[in-house]
């Protein structure tokens, strides 16, 4: 593997994280919620994961901003793997619960979960 890839793997903790959250934010054609709302949620997610030291070389969580997760109702929408848990209404307040309860403690936030498809 070339050095640039090795550096990226190390800096991002790609071989260490336990959960991966995808958040629909800033879609080209917003349908599930206003683009500003989804971008505010994305900004909160990035900031909060950093504050809690959940990202970086010793990562527990990896995050990905998705243009659209194709569930165009009750957004912003998020999905957490490996559990494959889909969440609706991912405002900063809801994301705080998802971060604390699911990403850190491993407990699904049933109040906002609407589908599950775990990786096997």
């Amino acid at each position: 593997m070339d050095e640039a890839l090795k550096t990226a793997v190390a800096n991002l903790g790609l071989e260490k994280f336990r959960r991966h959250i995808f958040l629909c934010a800033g879609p080209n054609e917003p349908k599930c919620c206003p683009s500003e709302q989804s971008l505010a949620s994305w900004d909160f997610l990035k900031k909060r994961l950093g504050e809690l030291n959940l990202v970086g070389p010793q990562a527990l969580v990896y995050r990905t901003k998705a243009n659209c997760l194709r569930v165009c109702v009750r957004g912003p929408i998020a999905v957490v793997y490996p559990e494959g848990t889909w969440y609706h209404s991912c405002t900063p307040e809801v994301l705080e619960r998802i971060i604390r309860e699911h990403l850190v403690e491993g407990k699904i936030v049933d109040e906002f979960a609407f589908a599950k498809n775990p990786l096997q």
Side-chain angles (χ1 to χ4, degrees):
M1 179 178 356
D2 78 17
E3 287 305 312
L5 282 174
K6 284 182 186 177
T7 300
V9 168
N11 289 343
L12 296 170
L14 295 181
E15 294 178 325
K16 297 179 181 181
F17 66 84
R18 289 190 271 156
R19 291 195 170 79
H20 190 162
I21 183 168
F22 293 81
L23 180 67
C24 179
N28 294 339
E29 297 178 33
K31 295 179 183 175
C32 68
C33 69
S35 189
E36 299 78 22
Q37 181 182 350
S38 65
L39 290 171
S41 290
W42 175 251
D43 290 341
F44 174 82
L45 180 66
K46 287 191 313 184
K47 178 182 173 198
R48 196 68 178 120
L49 291 176
E51 289 172 350
L52 296 171
N53 295 316
L54 297 174
V55 294
Q58 299 302 318
L60 293 177
V61 176
Y62 198 73
R63 60 176 166 72
T64 298
K65 179 180 174 185
N67 181 275
C68 179
L69 291 172
R70 300 178 53 207
V71 181
C72 298
V73 294
R74 298 192 65 190
I77 299 296
V79 59
V80 175
Y81 287 105
E83 295 85 0
T85 303
W86 291 77
Y87 290 105
H88 66 81
S89 307
C90 293
T91 62
E93 296 78 20
V94 172
L95 285 169
E96 179 68 28
R97 287 195 55 202
I98 293 168
I99 291 166
R100 294 240 178 229
E101 296 174 34
H102 191 158
L103 299 180
V104 173
E105 297 175 15
K107 294 184 259 180
I108 292 170
V109 184
D110 289 322
E111 183 179 346
F112 297 97
F114 68 91
K116 296 174 187 166
N117 185 13
L119 296 179
Q120 299 172 352

